[in-house]
């Protein structure tokens, strides 16, 4: 059982910054920030979970079955992540590419402390045996100084490397186009890794700056002991709200302009772009098929098709697909049926994932996986881990990856430039160190 206490504050922006700084000494943290976006199906402004009472950490073998048992037995809030390589549990697939991050392939924990911000209200949901700490924690958070950036000792600028170079990118893209023209696949999300080795940094200060630049609706700061995900994601993977399931895939990206007229023209151009729309529609069809595996007959519907949303650095083309499920459907089974998300694989999904394993030069790990939570009622909400920096503080290995959808209409040079655009915020943050 959890004890609930609600406080209100006038300066919610300052409290939010203080709350994030307060997490510094915990080993398990999931911080989810909507940045007050007015996207459809909002859940909260901020949701924070810290300090695991119980947890589950595993590789892909029987991962979803283990998670299902853990979630069902606890019947409580649990927070964590699903790595992309859980595809090997869902399908007969493998992952043999280089892994410099060494994250567990699945990790969830039952937090002792949960804090939610909605408007000016702060709700504390603590386990009973630490309930007396709520007032003490609230006062501690209020007293934290946020006038200065999180401490980061100035060090040598990191040397950011590319796992593959431009010529090799084009060679691999040509191979993908060969599969497409042969009819093996229609679309594949091809990604490349940027990385640093021997890097000692303060992940919290990096996240604060990344979020300041991007202000996305599904931002995440996650710490699992020595592993960190600093996530500026604009994309929702899957949400369960009662008997309704919602997926909001992104396919289609355009740069922003500081000139309002040019910016509006770029937005209109993206909305009418035949290639970008066809990419988005392919993934919408894939998501409809995934949702239909658990949906009540006739309930799968496309609520928004190819709608343009604007973020500080890019315009994005987003669709919203939903369905209804029966009371008997297990929440973990619903996620398993849709995992990995189609926007990060391609179509047909299994064939695309086989091509991805062949042409990519790194193990995706948490990148293009999902971070989120389950509630005691069996609801859930998970983002897509993109526009994210992953860091192993023990190995001092940092990685961020970007990619794009390759179709028969893809222009290799434009695809490469789109990758660099998506990597811009991560590179900017690291070059400012």
């Amino acid at each position: 059982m959890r004890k609930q206490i609600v406080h209100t504050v006038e300066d919610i922006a300052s409290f939010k910054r203080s709350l994030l700084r307060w997490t510094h000494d915990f080993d398990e943290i999931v911080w989810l920030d909507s940045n007050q976006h007015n996207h459809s199906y909002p859940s909260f402004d901020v949701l924070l979970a810290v300090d695991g009472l119980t947890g589950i950490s595993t590789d892909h073998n029987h991962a979803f079955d283990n998670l299902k048992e853990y979630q069902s037995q606890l019947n409580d809030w649990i927070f964590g992540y699903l790595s992309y390589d859980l595809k090997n549990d869902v399908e007969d697939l493998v992952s043999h590419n280089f892994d410099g991050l060494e994250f567990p392939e699945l990790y969830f924990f039952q937090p002792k402390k949960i804090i939610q911000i909605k408007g000016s209200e702060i709700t504390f949901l603590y386990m009973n045996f630490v309930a007396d700490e709520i007032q003490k924690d609230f006062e501690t958070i209020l007293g934290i100084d946020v006038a200065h950036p999180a401490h980061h000792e100035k060090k040598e600028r990191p040397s950011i490397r590319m796992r593959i170079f431009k010529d090799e990118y084009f060679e691999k893209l040509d191979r993908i186009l060969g599969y497409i023209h042969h009819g093996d696949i229609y679309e594949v999300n091809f990604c490349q890794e940027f990385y640093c080795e021997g890097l000692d940094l303060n992940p919290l200060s990096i996240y604060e700056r990344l979020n300041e630049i991007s202000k996305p609706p599904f931002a995440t700061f996650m710490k699992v002991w020595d592993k960190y995900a600093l996530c500026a994601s604009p994309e929702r993977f899957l949400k369960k709200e009662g008997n309704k399931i919602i997926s909001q895939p992104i396919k289609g990206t355009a740069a922003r302009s500081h000139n309002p007229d040019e910016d509006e023209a770029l937005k209109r151009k993206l909305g009418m772009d035949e290639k970008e729309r066809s990419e988005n529609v392919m993934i919408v069809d894939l998501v409809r098929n995934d949702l239909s595996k658990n949906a009540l007959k006739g309930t799968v519907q496309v609520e928004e098709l190819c709608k343009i949303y604007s973020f500080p650095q890019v315009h994005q083309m987003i669709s919203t697909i939903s369905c209804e499920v029966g009371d008997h459907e297990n929440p973990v089974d619903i996620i398993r049926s849709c995992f990995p998300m189609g926007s990060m694989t391609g179509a047909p999904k299994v064939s695309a994932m086989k091509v991805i394993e062949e042409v990519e030069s790194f193990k995706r790990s948490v990148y293009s996986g999902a971070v989120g939570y389950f509630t005691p009622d069996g609801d859930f909400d998970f983002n897509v881990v993109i526009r994210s920096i992953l860091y192993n503080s023990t190995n001092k290995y940092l990685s961020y990856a970007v990619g794009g959808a390759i179709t028969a209409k893809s222009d290799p040079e434009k695809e490469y430039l789109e990758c660099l655009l998506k990597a811009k915020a991560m590179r900017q943050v690291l070059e400012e160190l």
Side-chain angles (χ1 to χ4, degrees):
M1 295 292 292
R2 293 185 179 271
K3 183 168 183 179
Q4 176 174 318
I5 294 178
V6 179
H7 286 284
T8 59
V9 296
E10 292 183 4
D11 188 351
I12 199 68
S14 177
F15 183 86
K16 177 178 161 182
R17 292 192 296 272
S18 298
L19 179 60
L20 181 57
R21 300 283 179 88
W22 172 75
T23 67
H24 181 267
D25 294 327
F26 292 104
D27 292 317
E28 293 156 299
I29 304 165
V30 172
W31 163 277
L32 304 169
D33 188 352
S34 73
N35 282 296
Q36 297 183 311
H37 274 268
N38 294 319
H39 57 77
S40 52
Y41 300 104
S43 298
F44 50 81
D45 295 333
V46 169
L47 185 62
L48 170 67
V50 297
D51 199 10
L53 176 63
T54 65
I56 176 174
S57 175
T58 182
D59 63 14
H60 66 270
N61 291 294
H62 308 291
F64 280 104
D65 285 338
N66 293 335
L67 176 60
K68 182 177 178 179
E69 181 180 9
Y70 179 67
Q71 187 270 335
S72 299
Q73 287 181 348
L74 284 180
N75 195 33
D76 191 13
W77 292 83
I78 60 171
F79 291 72
Y81 69 81
L82 309 161
S83 78
Y84 170 78
D85 299 292
L86 296 184
K87 66 182 176 59
N88 305 335
D89 184 37
V90 177
E91 304 289 349
D92 184 18
L93 298 169
V94 295
S95 294
H96 294 312
N97 288 332
F98 174 76
D99 178 16
L101 288 164
E102 300 181 354
F103 279 54
E105 292 182 336
L106 178 149
Y107 193 99
F108 279 83
F109 68 97
Q110 176 191 23
K112 296 176 186 175
K113 303 181 181 186
I114 299 170
I115 301 174
Q116 181 184 92
I117 298 176
K118 255 189 172 182
S120 62
E121 288 191 348
I122 301 99
T123 302
F124 292 76
L125 287 167
Y126 279 29
M127 300 297 286
N128 271 346
F129 65 90
V130 293
D132 291 343
E133 297 182 23
I134 291 178
Q135 186 61 32
K136 178 182 176 183
D137 286 347
F138 179 59
E139 292 171 359
T140 300
I141 295 163
L142 288 175
I144 293 174
D145 179 15
V146 293
H148 306 287
H151 174 70
H152 178 74
E153 185 179 344
K154 189 72 173 177
K155 296 181 182 294
E156 184 180 353
R157 176 173 289 186
S159 176
I160 302 170
R161 302 178 182 179
M162 303 172 70
R163 184 64 56 190
I164 60 173
F165 293 99
K166 190 173 183 179
D167 289 348
E168 190 176 359
Y169 175 88
F170 287 150
E171 183 274 323
K172 289 175 180 288
L173 196 147
D174 284 343
R175 200 187 317 171
I176 292 169
L177 289 173
Y179 285 122
I180 292 173
H181 296 317
H182 193 261
D184 298 315
I185 51 174
Y186 305 110
E187 177 179 344
V188 67
N189 192 283
F190 174 41
C191 302
Q192 58 177 315
E193 182 191 29
F194 297 77
Y195 69 98
C196 299
E197 296 176 299
L199 187 61
D200 191 5
L201 53 79
N202 179 345
L204 184 57
S205 68
I206 300 298
Y207 168 78
E208 286 184 332
R209 180 62 181 137
L210 182 63
N211 189 54
E212 180 184 351
I213 291 171
S214 302
K215 291 184 169 54
F218 299 101
T220 302
F221 176 79
M222 183 181 73
K223 176 185 179 184
V224 176
W225 302 94
D226 62 341
K227 316 290 195 307
Y228 295 84
L230 321 174
C231 182
S233 175
E235 183 172 358
R236 169 179 275 141
F237 165 41
L238 212 59
K239 176 183 174 75
K240 180 176 182 288
E241 194 173 79
N243 289 80
K244 188 167 188 175
I245 310 298
I246 304 103
S247 182
Q248 296 177 297
I250 291 178
K251 270 287 163 276
T253 304
R256 298 292 307 266
S257 171
H258 294 296
N259 180 298
D261 292 336
E262 289 180 1
D263 192 59
E264 188 61 30
L266 288 167
K267 183 177 179 178
R268 286 196 305 270
K269 183 180 178 182
L270 175 60
M272 296 183 293
D273 190 298
E274 183 181 345
K275 173 188 174 291
E276 301 283 21
R277 290 184 70 89
S278 68
E279 288 178 8
N280 197 293
V281 169
M282 283 186 201
I283 299 307
V284 167
D285 286 342
L286 188 154
V287 171
R288 289 172 64 207
N289 181 67
D290 284 347
L291 290 179
S292 69
K293 297 172 187 176
N294 299 92
L296 294 172
K297 187 175 180 179
T299 64
V300 178
Q301 61 176 319
V302 179
E303 298 184 7
E304 290 180 339
L305 183 63
C306 299
K307 183 173 180 179
I308 307 302
Y309 287 81
S310 298
F311 301 95
Q313 292 197 318
V314 293
H315 299 294
Q316 301 275 201
M317 185 180 288
I318 305 177
S319 293
T320 299
I321 309 98
S322 67
C323 73
E324 298 287 333
V325 296
D327 294 334
H328 64 284
E329 293 288 349
N330 181 274
V332 176
D333 287 339
I334 294 169
I335 294 174
R336 184 191 338 225
S337 295
C338 299
F339 196 85
M341 58 292 300
S343 62
M344 296 306 296
T345 57
K349 185 185 276 190
V350 175
S351 297
M353 289 190 288
K354 289 178 180 178
V355 172
I356 286 168
E357 182 66 24
E358 176 189 329
V359 299
E360 290 185 356
S361 56
F362 70 108
K363 183 177 178 180
R364 289 189 180 184
S365 185
V366 178
Y367 171 71
S368 70
V371 176
Y373 63 91
F374 294 87
T375 73
D377 298 326
D379 286 348
F380 57 74
D381 201 1
F382 285 85
N383 72 1
V384 178
V385 181
I386 53 175
R387 321 288 162 84
S388 302
I389 295 170
L390 304 176
Y391 179 58
N392 181 321
S393 63
T394 299
N395 295 351
K396 302 187 187 308
Y397 186 91
L398 179 145
S399 169
Y400 63 92
V402 292
I406 309 303
T407 69
K409 297 179 180 180
S410 289
D411 178 318
E413 187 68 33
K414 288 182 179 179
E415 295 294 344
Y416 188 76
L417 292 174
E418 182 178 316
C419 284
L420 298 183
L421 173 64
K422 291 174 179 176
K424 181 180 178 182
M426 284 90 76
R427 177 176 286 276
Q428 179 180 339
V429 167
L430 294 173
E431 289 180 344
E432 289 174 352
L433 286 177

